Amino acid sequence: MEKAVEEGGGFHWEAAGNWDGICCVRSAQASFLLPGRVIAGDESMGRVSQSETTWHEQRDKWAKIWFEKLCRFHGRKPQVTWEFTADDVIAFLRDHVRRKTPAWKRLKIIQSLICYRRYVQAAPFDDLKFIQTKLEDLTRAEKIKEARLREAGGHTADEIEDVVGHIDPSEPDILQNLRRAVRARQDTLETERAYVANVKAFMRERGLKRQADFAEIHAADVEAHLTDLAVDGNVAPSTQNRAFYALLYVFQHVLKREMGEVQAIRSTKGKQIPTVLSVDEIEQIFAHLHGVHLLIAKLLYGCGMRISEALRLRMKDFDFDRMVIEVHASKGGKSRIVPMPASVVPEIRKWMESRRVLHEHDLEQGQASVCLPKALERKYPAAARELKWQYLFASHRLSRDPRTRVLRRHHLHKDTFPANLRAAVKKAGIHKHISSHVFRHSFATHLLREGTDICTIQELLGHADIKTTRIYLHSLNREDVKVISPLDRMTSHHQTIPANLAAAAADNAADARDLVQADASGDRSVAECSVAEPANAEHVATCENAGNAREVTLLVSELSAPKSHTLTRRSAGPGDMAAKRVSEAEPARAASLAGPPRNRLRWWSHAASWAFQRASVVVGGFLSLS
């Protein structure tokens, strides 16, 4: 028979005979016996209360759970026939030490494995008892230390873990301290990851391994690193600024010293105008999206949300009475209200009903949980299991929170929608560089084009400064301002030249016919009018001598006579040379008259133009003589 004897705040077992009772593992922190009970052999064998039966079930359950975890750790199948050794258990417990598992929990692990060895495998467990004894001592010392910390007004290890969350102990100490500082200041997870990545790059470039190596790091090293990013890395100004602020954060909140003045070469890449889609292009993309990804795309374009804001929408954020959506946990920790598109209301209601069914399933499985902002989880312990706090676009599987390591149902991963968007853009045949943020750009640009006030758009987008919103003015095509390219003007001019030439040829033919009719009828006044219109207006206006004008008219009529082959000899004067040139051109004129009507029309046009030029010379000569 055996009995339990209380000693030093714990329990140990003394052998008093053969007894097939329960496990001989007992401690003050994690017991396998009900507290405050001393069990005698005859009494325990005679009656087993309902509470003891439940306890036995829990014991067997946890023994099986920890045996399966031990098998997975060593890469084995959880088979009862596997006879694990003390070395296997020690390696498993050392892994928990690296994961910052407290001593009392490691003691529960070894107790469960001892029970599995004894009651399931029916094998001896003497090789594991020394591990149990060591862990009991560690647990007792840990409790004493925590009690002293409470008396001194400090924080225990459990309380600190609750504040900062899980931190990988294999990381360098400088990165662990950086994570603690970021979480203590309640910065976002994205900020933590960005700062850690930038500090890792700086440590890799400078060959730093731990926090002690930063004692020799000063402003000159930071300046050289930032200059290399701008010159060799050719990064954007925002990337360089983020690296600077990450290192500044380390100096101020981890190293607790000033970094000094940094005069690095700044990146000089100019701002790029945003890519904007047309309405037709957006409809083509929507045609190749389906299910939840189509609804997310409609919210991005219809509300101007960021992709992170859309994925974090909770069930309580939709107000169907006012037709608005509340956007929380936005950039900078701000909140705002955006209009809810009426066309997506049926889809939102349908998806909310699907989410309700999934939440009821989680409640039945005991896995309904979601992360809450700030300290709401401590203030409202049951809020994490309420439907209104659940994410609308929830993931199809559970995952562990990267900080608290709690198994929960989070929202869709941020890379899920961009992958489906790229596939839809490829199918639509659109060759623009399109990301999730392009829908936000298109939302603002289309509102500006429709006449929406820019201050209203600033509020809808959640911009702190209107200068950020004004960038959409650069990509706006205003309807009241039409800029025609010089190339288009030149092209349109070339297209109008043939039409103008045809009209000019018709006018010249009409003028020639009028001259012929005027010469045949002797109507000199009609001939003067026909010649005076295309002639040099300045010379005709200055000619005050009616006789000189009459001579000019006679000369023109003689030159335009269609059937005369020789010209009458005139007195020597300035017009003789012109008459001689016309007589020399008679063979060509005869050949032209013998051709088709189009050639004759072209010849009359050139002849009239040549006559007008020579008439100007004659008038100038007469004026000089007078």
Side-chain angles (χ1 to χ4, degrees):
M1 185 186 306
E2 293 177 308
K3 62 179 179 179
V5 181
E6 185 175 0
E7 177 181 327
F11 288 87
H12 71 280
W13 288 88
E14 294 180 352
N18 295 329
W19 181 66
D20 294 330
I22 58 177
C23 178
C24 62
V25 180
R26 173 80 182 185
S27 69
Q29 289 75 24
S31 64
F32 277 81
L33 290 177
L34 297 176
R37 291 179 58 92
V38 178
I39 302 176
D42 297 337
E43 184 178 351
S44 62
M45 293 294 295
R47 293 177 303 176
V48 179
S49 64
Q50 183 67 27
S51 60
E52 291 174 340
T53 304
T54 305
W55 175 82
H56 279 286
E57 294 176 355
Q58 292 293 324
R59 180 202 65 185
D60 297 340
K61 171 186 175 182
W62 284 105
K64 182 179 179 181
I65 289 175
W66 284 114
F67 174 74
E68 291 178 353
K69 290 186 177 181
L70 177 67
C71 294
R72 287 197 299 268
F73 176 79
H74 290 286
R76 303 179 63 93
K77 293 183 178 181
Q79 298 177 350
V80 181
T81 56
W82 180 47
E83 298 179 358
F84 56 90
T85 63
D87 294 336
D88 297 332
V89 176
I90 291 174
F92 181 58
L93 293 175
R94 282 178 177 174
D95 179 69
H96 280 272
V97 172
R98 288 192 295 268
R99 295 163 56 182
K100 301 295 183 180
T101 303
W104 65 267
K105 191 170 184 178
R106 300 199 303 271
L107 179 60
K108 283 187 176 182
I109 295 174
I110 187 62
Q111 290 169 349
S112 298
L113 294 177
I114 289 176
C115 287
Y116 191 87
R117 175 81 68 84
R118 180 175 183 179
Y119 294 107
V120 178
Q121 294 182 337
F125 55 90
D126 295 338
D127 57 335
L128 303 179
K129 294 182 67 174
F130 79 96
I131 304 177
Q132 171 198 343
T133 304
K134 180 64 175 177
L135 287 175
E136 286 177 351
D137 296 338
L138 292 176
T139 302
R140 188 178 299 108
E142 187 179 78
K143 292 295 181 181
I144 294 174
K145 182 178 179 180
E146 291 180 358
R148 291 176 179 176
L149 284 174
R150 290 191 182 95
E151 293 175 359
H155 298 281
T156 64
D158 294 339
E159 293 171 344
I160 295 175
E161 184 70 15
D162 290 339
V163 173
V164 301
H166 174 74
I167 294 178
D168 187 4
S170 63
E171 283 187 330
D173 54 353
I174 182 69
L175 297 181
Q176 296 185 40
N177 294 332
L178 175 60
R179 293 184 186 275
R180 292 188 180 96
V182 171
R183 297 177 186 180
R185 294 174 59 87
Q186 297 184 353
D187 291 326
T188 62
L189 180 61
E190 289 76 11
T191 301
E192 176 185 335
R193 289 174 173 172
Y195 282 2
V196 169
N198 283 275
V199 175
K200 280 183 178 180
F202 179 77
M203 295 175 62
R204 185 167 54 252
E205 179 184 328
R206 297 289 163 179
L208 307 178
K209 301 297 183 182
R210 56 187 182 275
Q211 184 169 337
D213 298 339
F214 277 78
E216 304 298 329
I217 299 299
H218 301 285
D221 302 283
V222 177
E223 181 177 318
H225 175 67
L226 298 177
T227 301
D228 292 341
L229 288 178
V231 177
D232 298 335
N234 195 26
V235 299
S238 58
T239 305
Q240 188 186 34
N241 292 339
R242 188 179 63 186
F244 168 75
Y245 286 114
L247 296 174
L248 181 64
Y249 197 97
V250 170
F251 274 85
Q252 291 180 347
H253 302 291
V254 179
L255 302 179
K256 305 294 183 181
R257 62 186 176 92
E258 294 295 330
M259 183 172 65
E261 186 177 0
V262 175
Q263 297 291 340
I265 297 178
R266 300 303 304 273
S267 179
T268 57
K269 286 187 177 180
K271 278 193 173 184
Q272 305 296 321
I273 60 174
T275 302
V276 178
L277 296 173
S278 65
V279 177
D280 294 338
E281 290 173 336
I282 293 176
E283 290 178 349
Q284 293 176 19
I285 295 175
F286 285 175
H288 294 88
L289 289 173
H290 307 282
V292 63
H293 304 294
L294 176 59
L295 179 56
I296 293 176
K298 290 182 177 180
L299 290 176
L300 294 180
Y301 174 64
C303 305
M305 296 182 185
R306 302 178 179 91
I307 180 62
S308 59
E309 297 169 350
L311 294 178
R312 293 172 184 169
L313 289 175
R314 302 178 188 262
M315 300 285 284
K316 67 178 185 61
D317 295 336
F318 296 87
D319 191 341
F320 294 99
D321 294 333
R322 295 188 299 161
M323 291 298 293
V324 295
I325 301 176
E326 298 177 4
V327 180
H328 298 283
S330 180
K331 188 176 181 180
K334 298 176 293 185
S335 300
R336 70 182 190 276
I337 295 178
V338 297
M340 183 191 305
S343 58
V344 300
V345 170
E347 298 181 44
I348 294 176
R349 290 187 180 276
K350 179 180 178 181
W351 196 257
M352 291 178 73
E353 178 64 21
S354 174
R355 183 66 184 89
R356 184 188 62 80
V357 174
L358 179 62
H359 180 65
E360 291 178 354
H361 176 267
D362 291 343
L363 288 175
E364 293 176 358
Q365 300 294 325
Q367 299 174 336
S369 179
V370 67
C371 61
L372 298 177
K374 302 297 180 181
L376 286 178
E377 190 168 2
R378 294 196 299 268
K379 188 175 182 180
Y380 306 107
R385 295 185 296 274
E386 295 180 1
L387 177 61
K388 65 180 180 180
W389 287 101
Q390 306 302 314
Y391 290 117
L392 175 63
F393 305 116
S395 176
H396 65 281
R397 61 182 180 181
L398 302 175
S399 58
R400 294 194 178 275
D401 190 284
R403 286 183 172 179
T404 62
R405 311 301 297 171
V406 178
L407 189 64
R408 289 169 172 167
R409 189 176 295 279
H410 293 270
H411 55 71
L412 292 175
H413 195 272
K414 63 179 182 179
D415 295 336
T416 304
F417 176 76
N420 287 269
L421 177 61
R422 286 192 296 269
V425 171
K426 185 177 180 180
K427 292 179 181 178
I430 300 175
H431 302 292
K432 294 181 179 179
H433 177 66
I434 299 176
S435 63
S436 305
H437 217 65
V438 171
F439 291 108
R440 181 176 167 90
H441 297 325
S442 304
F443 166 81
T445 305
H446 293 175
L447 286 183
L448 280 173
R449 186 175 301 167
E450 294 170 1
T452 307
D453 183 63
I454 191 171
C455 295
T456 303
I457 298 177
Q458 176 191 359
E459 295 179 1
L460 293 177
L461 295 178
H463 289 162
D465 193 349
I466 198 171
K467 293 181 180 178
T468 309
T469 314
R470 288 182 63 86
I471 191 175
Y472 297 110
L473 295 175
H474 298 292
S475 57
L476 180 64
N477 295 326
R478 295 177 55 183
E479 299 294 338
D480 57 338
V481 177
K482 292 295 184 181
V483 179
I484 302 177
S485 172
L487 178 61
D488 294 337
R489 293 181 182 273
M490 183 181 69
T491 305
S492 61
H493 176 68
H494 286 322
Q495 292 175 353
T496 57
I497 285 177
N500 294 338
L501 289 178
D507 293 341
N508 292 334
D511 293 340
R513 285 193 298 270
D514 293 341
L515 288 175
V516 173
Q517 293 175 2
D519 182 58
S521 61
D523 190 357
R524 301 301 176 87
S525 60
V526 177
E528 290 180 6
C529 294
S530 301
V531 175
E533 288 180 0
N536 192 321
E538 181 179 358
H539 290 171
V540 174
T542 55
C543 183
E544 299 178 357
N545 193 334
N548 294 339
R550 187 178 299 108
E551 292 293 335
V552 172
T553 305
L554 291 174
L555 178 61
V556 171
S557 62
E558 292 177 357
L559 291 175
S560 59
K563 294 184 180 181
S564 60
H565 297 279
T566 58
L567 292 177
T568 305
R569 298 289 300 177
R570 296 173 54 86
S571 59
D576 292 340
M577 186 62 67
K580 181 179 180 181
R581 293 177 179 176
V582 173
S583 63
E584 294 174 354
E586 284 299 315
R589 171 178 171 271
S592 298
L593 291 175
R598 183 174 299 178
N599 294 336
R600 291 198 300 270
L601 181 61
R602 188 180 297 110
W603 185 91
W604 280 114
S605 176
H606 290 298
S609 177
W610 179 84
F612 297 152
Q613 295 178 3
R614 296 305 181 271
S616 299
V617 175
V618 173
V619 172
F622 287 154
L623 291 177
S624 62
L625 293 176
S626 60

